[in-house]
Amino acid sequence: METPEKRPPTTLRDTLRVFEKVDTKYAPLTAQEVADGLGTTHKIAREHLARLTEQGTLGSKRVGDTRVWWLLADRTHREADLRRERELTDQLLKTAPVAISVKNAAGETIVANRRAQDLLGLSEREILDKPEDVDEWDIFDATGEPLDPEDTPAARVYQTGNPVFNEEVAIRRPSGEQMWFSVNAAPIFDDDGTLDRVVSAGEDITELKKRERQLEQRKSDLETELSEILGRISDGFYALDNQWCFIHVNSRAEEILQHTATDLLGTQIWTAFPDAEDSLFWEQVHEAMDSQEPVSFEVHEAHEDRWLEVNAYPSKTGLSVYLKDISQRVHREHQLERYEKIFETIQDGVYSVDNDNRFTMVNDAYLEMVEYPREELIGAHSSTVVETETTETAQEIQQSLESDEVESSKLEADLYTSSGRTIRAEATFALLPGDGDGYERVGVVRDVSDRVARERVLTARARQQKAVSELGQLALENSDLDDLFKQASQRVAAVLENDYCKVLELDATAEHLLLRQGVGWRDGIVGTATVSSVEAESQASYTLLSEGPVIVTDLENDTRLSGPELLTSHGITSGISTIIGSLEAPWGILGTHATEKKLFTDEDISFIQSVANILAEAIERQRYEDELEALVEALGESNERLEQFAYIASHDLQEPLRMISNYLQLIESRYRDELDDDARDFIDFAVDGAERMREMVNGLLKYSRVDTETEPFEPTDIEAVVERVLANLQLPIEQHAIEVAVEPLPTVYGDRKQFEQLFQNLVSNAIKYRSDASPQIEIGVTERETDWLFAISDNGIGIDTDHHERIFEVFRRLHSHEEYAGTGIGLALCRKIVERHSGRIWVESAPNEGSTFYVTIPRTEVSNE
Ligand code: ADP
């Protein structure tokens, strides 16, 4: 704090200044106020005041009990004040940053301050000396039009007596440079009210104007650029004013809105697009305008199936709207959604792995299949669920897919689930572009365990069926039962993938079963080993008592049976055995066995049953064939005996027969005259009967000799044979005027004499059994694949169908001896001859329609046994 002693001394002049500083210069002040103003003591202030009052500079008087002093205004002071004011004005004029000039009533410039001089490039002198030159400068108004001298701001003030404010004018300097001023001009009137002077103040706004012009240029540039940008942007853009009228539409918007800008500009959007009213669009843009917040929404134009994204930016003056056709994106999204839906809803598992074979994506079905949670599988290596080789194969497939040399994009492999299960699965692969350059491998996986199991069953069944049919065939072709049993055993064991198979045959005592054939058994026991068929509880005896196949899955723990030793000694655990033959009369047992515990399917069981049936049938057929053979043998023997008998009988009968005839003839010749007519007739009948009997005996003899007294087979010209026959029969043929037609006939292999006999019998029958109509006989032949078919036809009396078979029997006749002579042996003989040549003979005929006898003779050489 300053001490009073240190205060600077004050002067009378300082005291006067205190008075001058006060607002009202001549206002009275107290001594204290002056002391305060001077910053001095009351005492000093009183001394100064007293001195100044004495000098007559200050007046003083008491007001109440307070004395006050005031400044006395004398002329000197007033002049001094005026001078000071003028100096101030001059100073202001000089230093003011605006150009100021004053014109007198005559319009001449009487004052131009420094700024005005600087700006106009003239000295004060030049201005004051040649004021008219100043006015001759070119002056322009704000629009750039030349300004008439009468129209300058100052001139107007003269004319109107009113001030002019902020009038912009341009002045071109002699140098050609143009300057801009904002001019204020005001009139000054003298005491009697006439205009005395005009003060003009011009602020240099050249820079400002320049800036303004630049800004305007910039603005217009920007506007052009904006408009270009708006035109260029690929999105549709339009702007509406606050009356919803179009004020800008770019070309893309024209396309999208399908209206030209010309049509739209100035039109209200709701007029141009009446449908837009009350739409989502309407709602959204109104909200935007109300809230002054931008909105973004998507609209679907059903008629175009087009999706638009609308972004609307509101402002006080209107709305800018951006339209983007996002149909493709939306469609893609929809498609993606659909794919996603498919992806998640398909039953197949879908996954993708990256180049490191790590899962990048899996669907629910896949997760369910492999029993892993998604978070555990994503990022995990594919070896989590498959073998390394499977991954390698999948990679190979991926490579072939990448290089387009697709062979198969499918792979079947095992999948290992988290719970340790194994699933047979089939994957189909495809490629997806990955994050980097490469591809991701997508696999669509299907659980094919069922199918594989089904296929396995089907293959097994097919193999079984094949085995059954082949064994069936073998059984037909092969009469060797042991071979059949052996092959059957091998096939059964192979098809069922069992080590053992056996065919057991029940022996005559029915107490033992012989291991007749089989596979898998110890060396040397097939053909010798036996199994008891009565031993309680053995699989063999148990099977013999069972109606169907007996299935054993675990022999040791089977409660129904145990053993036999044959099985247990081979370590057999499971198997199927079934009866060969019928339950009532079994032949034996077919069994197949495995050392491991094994489950057999129904197919396996029926397969065994089928094989057993084939064996049973083969055995049965073999038995039948054996019987037949024995029968044939027996028949042959009895036939031979019969023929022997017929031969002996006919041969031995000839002699007594001859005796009878001879002696009858002797009686007739020697005692003819002694006999009466009846006796002669009787003798004739007896002779006749003996003759017929002789013929029959001869016939029988011939018949029995067909197989015994034979000629060797040789090529025989049937045409020559027939010629001979016709020559033999020439007499009756001519006698009865019979027409005989013979086709060219072949040479066949056989017994010529017997062929002669055959044709002789057939042709003579045709002659004998002719009808009244003119008789005709035709002999023809047809060449067939394996034989010749001869046909001997007549137009005779014919034969009733009932007798077609019988006429070929020995001594079988349809007529009496009186009607047609004959013994009834002819056709029987024919049949025997034909049969000896391995041919057949039959007749086709009807009464009165003639008969045709057919004979076949093989075309191949037939051995002459
Ligand atoms: P037969 O000595 O009686 O002729 P066959 O054995 O030759 O004996 O004939 C048996 C029977 O077949 C004859 O009795 C006759 O009735 C009948 N028959 C044979 N050939 C003919 C034929 N061509 N036309 C009609 N009947 C015939």
Side-chain angles (χ1 to χ4, degrees), residues 298 309 324-334:
E298 290 173 7
E309 183 188 276
K324 191 184 273 181
D325 187 340
I326 51 160
S327 310
Q328 267 188 341
R329 194 197 78 205
V330 172
H331 286 145
R332 232 182 2 256
E333 278 170 5
H334 284 179

Side-chain angles (χ1 to χ4, degrees), residues 560-802:
R560 304 166 297 173
L561 44 90
S562 60
E565 196 269 340
L566 177 68
L567 300 186
T568 52
S569 68
H570 283 85
I572 282 164
T573 302
S574 59
I576 309 175
S577 54
T578 190
I579 294 176
I580 301 174
S582 66
L583 182 62
E584 302 77 41
W587 175 90
I589 290 174
L590 172 68
T592 179
H593 305 276
T595 46
E596 73 273 18
K597 282 182 194 168
K598 206 167 167 180
L599 290 172
F600 295 96
T601 65
D602 288 352
E603 278 74 30
D604 297 343
I605 297 162
S606 61
F607 167 61
I608 291 298
Q609 192 60 64
S610 303
V611 175
N613 290 347
I614 288 173
L615 299 187
E617 253 170 60
I619 293 161
E620 187 58 32
R621 193 166 45 244
Q622 189 67 51
R623 190 183 282 164
Y624 176 73
E625 270 169 20
D626 289 348
E627 280 174 11
L628 204 68
E629 218 167 85
L631 200 67
V632 166
E633 210 169 299
L635 260 177
E637 278 167 21
S638 94
N639 229 20
E640 221 166 89
R641 278 198 298 278
L642 260 176
E643 272 175 17
Q644 199 75 22
F645 167 75
Y647 174 76
I648 292 165
S650 48
H651 186 268
D652 290 0
L653 277 173
Q654 274 184 325
E655 183 51 27
L657 202 57
R658 213 169 5 252
M659 270 177 69
I660 294 170
S661 313
N662 287 347
Y663 280 102
L664 279 173
Q665 278 162 7
L666 200 63
I667 291 171
E668 200 195 17
S669 60
R670 196 172 290 181
Y671 304 106
R672 170 171 288 275
D673 301 335
E674 291 160 42
L675 297 174
D676 59 12
D677 287 346
D678 280 354
R680 275 198 292 276
D681 282 349
F682 294 161
I683 288 170
D684 283 347
F685 289 148
V687 169
D688 203 27
E691 180 56 27
R692 265 164 50 213
M693 190 162 168
R694 197 181 57 81
E695 280 173 12
M696 286 171 80
V697 167
N698 276 339
L700 198 59
L701 204 58
K702 264 189 202 159
Y703 182 83
S704 65
R705 281 174 180 164
V706 168
D707 286 329
T708 52
E709 290 183 17
T710 56
E711 304 267 322
F713 277 21
E714 59 185 3
T716 307
D717 180 0
I718 302 298
E719 204 161 290
V721 168
V722 170
E723 250 169 54
R724 270 182 76 95
V725 167
L726 293 179
N728 291 343
L729 297 170
Q730 196 186 0
L731 210 63
I733 289 172
E734 280 175 2
Q735 192 183 346
H736 303 297
I738 294 167
E739 269 180 46
V740 183
V742 184
E743 280 181 18
L745 299 170
T747 295
V748 302
Y749 198 76
D751 186 328
R752 197 185 48 77
K753 269 197 172 162
Q754 289 186 343
F755 278 136
E756 245 177 68
Q757 183 81 65
L758 171 71
F759 281 95
Q760 177 94 23
N761 287 0
L762 293 174
V763 176
S764 35
N765 276 352
I767 295 170
K768 184 161 50 169
Y769 299 107
R770 68 185 179 279
S771 69
D772 295 338
S774 57
Q776 290 173 345
I777 299 172
E778 282 170 24
I779 302 171
V781 73
T782 308
E783 185 175 3
R784 302 199 302 183
E785 200 177 338
T786 56
D787 57 19
W788 295 102
L789 174 66
F790 294 94
I792 297 90
S793 43
D794 59 51
N795 57 348
I797 59 171
I799 307 160
D800 194 292
T801 320
D802 291 350

